[in-house]
Amino acid sequence: MTATDVRPSPDAGATAHAVATALRTIGRNIDDLGDRYPADTTAGNRYPLRPPAGGLPQGSNVGWTTSFWPGMLWLAYDLTGEERYRHAALSHVDSFADRLDRGIDLDTHDLGFLYTLACVTPARRAGHRRARSAALAAADHLMTRVLEPAGIIQAWGDLDDPRQRGRTIIDSLMNTPLLFWASDATGDHRYAAAARRHAAQLRAHILRPDGTTFHTYYWDAETGAPLRGETEQGHADHSCWARGQAWGIYGFSLNHRHTGDPALLAAARTCADYFLDHLPADRVAYWDLEFGDGSGQERDSSAAAIAACGLVELADNLADRADAYRADADRYRTAAGQILHSLIDGYATAGHGDDRQRGPEALLRHGVYDKPKGIGVDEGNLWGDYFYLEALTRATVPGWSSPWSSPR
């Protein structure tokens, strides 16, 4: 995947300044973190270290978000060519390989997020053998979560947990690239076939007729029958969780990129059109698309950052098909630029640091992790930072190759 003609921000000077600011912050965060990992979200705009878990010390590699930090380091390298970022990114490979070897916190579909950014990227770009082995082992473990005959990848928890059995979530569309890569790397088509079937099931059931998406959806694990949609982090089962809709834009676009299935491209467009039609004046979504200006609810800058990336990916997919889609591709690129520009203007951190307040700083403020549970509300978060920096990279680096897509 390339983005040779993408310039989402209408203000190149503002984009360049935003990149420089983000890079200053990342440089300080490298010094603060060393080989440790920050928590999922900030507390007062600073990341504490990841809390101790399962007998592991503070800052250990647990949870679903740790790979966004080495992912940001690779983006910083792409933006600058500076070896210190590449060296810092590669330093995390051993931690992710060790996590697999020791069986630490692997009962999740988010192995796709974790190992695509942390291990597939160095395997592809640096020929790193341990990273390649770890990524393939992660793909094998992810395949154990495929539930037949439903043909879906279970999202969370032990496969025998009755509460989680047969459940998948919209985020999973971003985890399938690990399986597509594994097929490319090994020639074994089982991985890609599982990913293709999973994406088709989500297109058929997690995407609702009105263009909105469920956060989570259940299948009967024994019969494969579709059961019901619910939410975990949205406002209500019937509403449209903003980050989930953004995952739909990006995830369906990526799965189309890997499969060529036009139904997946249509699903991405459906998600995008609803998302864009329900944005507030500044184009940065509230945490659930049910809310708008005057609601008193919080924004989710991370949903906006994900959508900005997904809209460019969608535009690239359309532009690749035929000139007849050029106007639609341009419309999505323009929308991505408007969102990114708003994030730069109103949501990005200044990047100056503050000696009175130590600890890693977020790139992006005003995100929401889980409003119903009161977790990470109006804070920075690792995925928001990553996708904001990815959006800046897409806007800045001609010919940039996405970690989520196989090189052409």
Side-chain angles (χ1 to χ4, degrees):
M1 195 281 294
T2 60
T4 54
D5 59 349
V6 176
R7 291 292 183 273
S9 174
D11 186 338
T15 303
H17 178 74
V19 168
T21 300
L23 290 171
R24 283 197 301 272
T25 298
I26 289 170
R28 286 195 302 273
N29 290 351
I30 291 172
D31 295 336
D32 285 337
L33 288 168
D35 61 357
R36 301 170 300 177
Y37 295 91
D40 297 327
T41 69
T42 61
N45 196 41
R46 296 285 171 159
Y47 287 106
L49 289 177
R50 193 159 290 262
L56 297 170
Q58 190 179 45
S60 293
N61 189 350
V62 294
W64 70 278
T65 67
T66 48
S67 65
F68 292 119
W69 173 230
M72 282 185 263
L73 297 172
W74 281 110
L75 293 175
Y77 176 67
D78 290 343
L79 286 161
T80 66
E82 292 183 16
E83 189 62 26
R84 65 174 178 145
Y85 295 119
R86 181 178 181 273
H87 177 76
L90 287 170
S91 73
H92 289 279
V93 169
D94 285 345
S95 174
F96 281 86
D98 183 65
R99 180 170 172 170
L100 270 170
D101 292 343
R102 296 171 61 191
I104 298 170
D105 196 15
L106 302 180
D107 288 338
T108 174
H109 68 154
D110 288 319
L111 294 169
F113 272 130
L114 291 164
Y115 286 87
T116 298
L117 292 179
C119 291
V120 171
T121 298
R124 278 177 175 161
R125 301 183 57 182
H128 199 295
R129 292 184 179 181
R130 193 173 190 205
R132 184 180 187 276
S133 295
L136 287 173
D140 285 337
H141 197 85
L142 187 55
M143 287 289 286
T144 69
R145 303 188 67 78
V146 176
L147 301 183
E148 298 291 351
I152 55 97
I153 301 168
Q154 182 170 311
W156 301 315
D158 189 286
L159 294 175
D160 294 324
D161 181 346
R163 172 61 182 151
Q164 304 299 340
R165 183 77 171 161
R167 189 211 298 237
T168 192
I169 66 173
I170 188 73
D171 315 36
S172 63
L173 292 165
M174 300 294 296
N175 288 312
T176 56
L178 177 65
L179 298 180
F180 288 116
W181 169 82
S183 278
D184 288 343
T186 64
D188 186 338
H189 298 297
R190 292 181 306 112
Y191 303 102
R196 180 188 293 265
R197 187 175 176 199
H198 176 82
Q201 284 284 59
L202 266 64
R203 178 196 59 77
H205 299 289
I206 213 164
L207 178 61
R208 295 184 284 220
D210 65 354
T212 64
T213 51
F214 289 112
H215 178 191
T216 82
Y217 200 91
Y218 283 90
W219 280 260
D220 186 299
E222 279 66 48
T223 70
L227 297 177
R228 66 190 182 278
E230 294 180 354
T231 195
E232 279 286 327
Q233 296 172 11
H235 174 61
D237 289 344
H238 67 269
S239 71
C240 188
W241 179 49
R243 192 160 74 249
Q245 195 77 2
W247 291 135
I249 299 169
Y250 203 170
F252 280 124
S253 296
L254 284 175
N255 281 272
H256 170 264
R257 171 72 65 181
H258 285 285
T259 66
D261 184 348
L264 298 177
L265 185 63
R269 297 188 68 180
T270 297
C271 290
D273 291 342
Y274 189 93
F275 187 91
L276 294 173
D277 286 345
H278 290 80
L279 291 182
D282 78 345
R283 314 306 286 164
V284 175
Y286 288 84
W287 68 276
D288 193 292
L289 295 179
E290 184 165 295
F291 301 118
D293 289 332
S295 65
Q297 296 289 323
E298 294 84 4
R299 309 302 181 100
D300 183 6
S301 60
S302 72
I306 295 161
C309 295
L311 287 164
V312 175
E313 178 70 25
L314 174 56
D316 285 346
N317 277 313
L318 289 170
D320 286 349
R321 287 172 63 84
D323 288 342
Y325 292 95
R326 177 64 61 180
D328 288 332
D330 290 346
R331 177 167 62 90
Y332 292 129
R333 284 196 225 282
T334 297
Q338 291 169 343
I339 292 169
L340 178 57
H341 194 62
S342 187
L343 290 173
I344 292 170
D345 283 349
Y347 296 81
T349 53
H352 299 311
D354 185 345
D355 290 339
R356 295 169 300 174
Q357 189 179 27
R358 301 300 299 167
E361 186 180 11
L363 304 185
L364 203 60
R365 294 176 174 165
H366 306 305
V368 172
Y369 184 178
D370 190 334
K371 176 64 183 288
K373 300 180 187 68
I375 301 170
V377 178
D378 198 27
E379 292 284 355
N381 53 61
L382 287 176
W383 56 94
D385 286 357
Y386 170 82
F387 286 104
Y388 172 63
L389 193 63
E390 184 182 304
L392 289 173
T393 305
R394 286 176 176 272
T396 303
V397 181
W400 180 74
S401 294
S402 164
W404 312 104
S405 299
S406 299
R408 290 186 162 186

